Amino acid sequence: MKYLISLWMLLLSVSSFALDVQEWPDIQEGIISIKIKEPLHRVGYTVGDKSERHVEVTIKKPYVLIKESLPIPGYERKYKGQDLGIVLDAMKHVLKENKTSSTLVMDLTYQIFTNNVVAKPGFLPAEYIRVLNPNDPQKKVFKYRIPEYQIAISPLSIFGAIKIEQDMSPLRGVILMDEKSPIKTLKISGIIALLSLLGLIYIYSQYAWLPNARGVFARTHRSINKMKATPASIEKAITEMHRAFDLVIGKTLFTDNLHDLYAKNPSFKNIDTELREFFKLSTLLFFNTSNKKYDHDEILKWLKDFSRHCRDCERKLIVDKKSLVAGLAK
């Protein structure tokens, strides 16, 4: 039933959109009551100023509000065929329901878009809402008028002044923009950008700056990254990696005591396959007496990637498992 009523109200509103609001009959007294909290002052308004009204409309049941009749922000009223110069800038509303009535709470914000060389009267325009009784077979619609509020609009400069810059009266306020929200957003964005920059510097730098991070593998990775693909360089790179592991656990590291390394830093478990590949490669290059030739470029590239993975583990960063390579030592 509620959906049918809502559909009927929507169709009724769409079909009657072009009708003048004055053509709807007024609701009888006693059905609707209203409370209005008017602006704090009525004079001194000038172009660009805003004024707010707080309106509470209570509608006795069975009458219900036609929501499509609520005031529309941006719609400028006319008075005697002329633009009024006061526009509804924003409208916030809440509809509260109870057993005997419904209460519409609206916060209306108007902005002044008119001015004159002398002070002149103006008014926050009257608003109209429409209601109907869903139990009425004819579904007759009634209107209710929220009264206007008279204000005074002041000129920007004294009468007869040619240039407003010459009017330096301290009684005339300036048109100010609300910069609190943009400044707050700018500060938050700046803090986020700074933290992101520090994070990127830490991740991509050659040193570990966090507490308890000695940066052993950061220095080793930087040293290996500068080497060229020669047999001597590869032997030096492997030796430096062994020295780095020994410094971390405080003793010589082999495949049978990798658990000591994992106890010091569990992040190294993520590259267990590469660690075992490293020891195979070290044994193959230092202790194999065969005359087999190796691709030094490929080995050095693997050592550079392996040292970077160790540096990331040292910093307890996540290592991409897709970048782990095994099967090099054959």
Side-chain angles (χ1 to χ4, degrees):
M1 184 62 181
K2 291 182 179 179
Y3 295 105
L4 293 176
I5 293 173
S6 300
L7 179 61
W8 171 260
M9 292 165 61
L10 179 60
L11 292 175
L12 186 62
S13 174
V14 172
S15 63
S16 61
F17 181 78
L19 293 178
D20 189 344
V21 70
Q22 299 295 340
E23 297 182 13
W24 300 102
D26 293 319
I27 189 71
Q28 63 182 359
E29 294 185 4
I31 301 298
I32 296 180
S33 59
I34 188 171
K35 294 180 181 179
I36 303 178
K37 184 179 179 181
E38 303 292 4
L40 296 177
H41 62 281
R42 304 183 68 168
V43 298
Y45 290 98
T46 188
V47 60
D49 287 344
K50 292 185 178 182
S51 184
E52 297 181 354
R53 303 181 80 189
H54 179 80
V55 181
E56 295 184 12
V57 180
T58 302
I59 306 169
K60 291 184 179 179
K61 292 187 176 180
Y63 287 90
V64 296
L65 171 71
I66 300 177
K67 293 184 179 180
E68 288 75 17
S69 66
L70 291 175
I72 302 174
Y75 175 69
E76 185 172 3
R77 313 298 196 280
K78 291 182 179 294
Y79 179 72
K80 294 182 179 181
Q82 300 295 324
D83 289 337
L84 186 60
I86 299 178
V87 177
L88 179 60
D89 181 68
M91 189 273 291
K92 297 180 181 179
H93 74 280
V94 177
L95 187 61
K96 303 176 183 178
E97 299 278 355
N98 56 47
K99 294 181 179 180
T100 60
S101 63
S102 58
T103 301
L104 172 65
V105 181
M106 293 188 296
D107 289 301
L108 306 173
T109 302
Y110 295 90
Q111 188 165 19
I112 313 299
F113 285 101
T114 183
N115 196 49
N116 203 350
V117 294
V118 295
K120 68 175 184 178
F123 55 87
L124 306 182
E127 304 288 355
Y128 290 87
I129 60 172
R130 297 195 297 273
V131 297
L132 63 76
N133 182 357
N135 299 327
D136 182 9
Q138 298 181 355
K139 298 296 187 292
K140 191 173 182 180
V141 176
F142 298 90
K143 72 174 185 296
Y144 180 78
R145 180 177 183 272
I146 300 173
E148 72 274 1
Y149 182 70
Q150 188 172 3
I151 60 175
I153 300 174
S154 301
L156 288 174
S157 62
I158 61 174
F159 180 72
I162 298 175
K163 295 183 179 180
I164 191 172
E165 292 83 359
Q166 296 176 353
D167 177 19
M168 303 303 293
S169 171
L171 301 178
R172 188 191 73 247
V174 296
I175 301 175
L176 300 176
M177 296 179 63
D178 184 12
E179 75 282 1
K180 292 182 180 179
S181 181
I183 289 178
K184 182 179 179 181
T185 303
L186 184 62
K187 289 181 179 179
I188 294 175
S189 301
I191 293 173
I192 294 175
L194 180 60
L195 293 177
S196 301
L197 179 61
L198 291 176
L200 290 174
I201 291 175
Y202 170 72
I203 291 173
Y204 290 103
S205 66
Q206 299 295 336
Y207 300 98
W209 298 337
L210 292 182
N212 300 322
R214 293 173 294 175
V216 174
F217 287 101
R219 294 190 295 272
T220 303
H221 171 65
R222 183 178 62 177
S223 175
I224 295 175
N225 214 32
K226 296 179 180 179
M227 294 181 181
K228 296 183 180 180
T230 62
S233 296
I234 290 175
E235 290 183 5
K236 182 180 179 182
I238 294 176
T239 301
E240 289 187 5
M241 288 298 298
H242 277 294
R243 185 183 300 112
F245 285 121
D246 296 345
L247 288 173
V248 170
I249 66 172
K251 58 183 178 181
T252 304
L253 180 68
F254 297 101
T255 54
D256 55 355
N257 66 340
L258 281 173
H259 57 274
D260 293 332
L261 175 64
Y262 301 154
K264 286 283 186 178
N265 189 340
S267 297
F268 281 96
K269 287 184 179 180
N270 298 323
I271 59 171
D272 179 77
T273 55
E274 277 198 336
L275 285 168
R276 297 182 184 278
E277 185 75 14
F278 168 73
F279 284 105
K280 289 181 183 179
L281 182 64
S282 175
T283 302
L284 188 65
L285 293 178
F286 283 111
F287 301 104
N288 192 353
T289 57
S290 66
N291 295 325
K292 182 179 179 180
K293 295 183 178 180
Y294 301 101
D295 188 341
H296 297 103
D297 290 324
E298 183 181 7
I299 293 175
L300 184 60
K301 181 180 181 303
W302 186 90
L303 286 171
K304 289 179 179 179
D305 292 338
F306 176 63
S307 64
R308 187 182 74 254
H309 294 164
C310 291
R311 182 200 67 181
D312 293 342
C313 291
E314 180 182 53
R315 296 175 178 180
K316 299 183 180 180
L317 300 174
I318 298 175
V319 178
D320 185 7
K321 292 187 177 182
K322 294 182 180 179
S323 64
L324 302 180
V325 178
L328 182 67
K330 296 180 182 179

